Amino acid sequence: MILIEPLFIVICLMLGVIYLQSGLMKLRSIYAFKNIVQSYELLNNEHVEKVVALIIPVLEIYISLSLILFKNLLLVSAIGGFLQIIFIAIMIEKYGKKLPYGCGCFGIQAPSKIDLKHIYLNICFFILFLCIGIYDMSSWC
């Protein structure tokens, strides 16, 4: 049991750094990220795609800072877990398809095909957010 708290801290900091890097890269290249959002062909509305392209990096930065500062962890784990479920569903929907700007997972990339590693990575992140939420809830007892 003594290892759980340090592991929790490592998970929060690791996810925080990953999400901060991802959010900042997307925000820095917001126009390119909008192109990635459009390339998924899920929303088919340019105005909505622009809003989504702005909301995702801002949410990722909020999540990252909250994780790094250990603030609002239950809320952040719920938001992060929800985002990961959405990302998992999208990756499954686009599995095997080549996206012209990459998946957009960690910024702007070269064209890439969605494969199982994209799905597995998002599942792993979901599980980590779930662990953060469960641990945070258990600390209330």
Side-chain angles (χ1 to χ4, degrees), residues 13-36:
L13 293 176
M14 179 189 70
L15 266 180
V17 168
I18 290 169
Y19 259 64
L20 184 61
Q21 177 187 6
S22 178
L24 289 175
M25 290 172 90
K26 289 171 185 161
L27 207 53
R28 211 171 311 153
S29 304
I30 196 72
Y31 178 76
F33 184 60
K34 179 190 69 79
N35 289 339
I36 291 171

Side-chain angles (χ1 to χ4, degrees), residues 19-20 22-30 33-34 37 50-64 83 87:
Y19 259 64
L20 184 61
S22 178
L24 289 175
M25 290 172 90
K26 289 171 185 161
L27 207 53
R28 211 171 311 153
S29 304
I30 196 72
F33 184 60
K34 179 190 69 79
V37 171
K50 285 179 183 178
V51 170
V52 168
L54 184 59
I55 288 174
I56 289 176
V58 170
L59 264 179
E60 287 182 345
I61 292 168
Y62 169 73
I63 289 168
S64 70
L83 273 179
F87 296 159

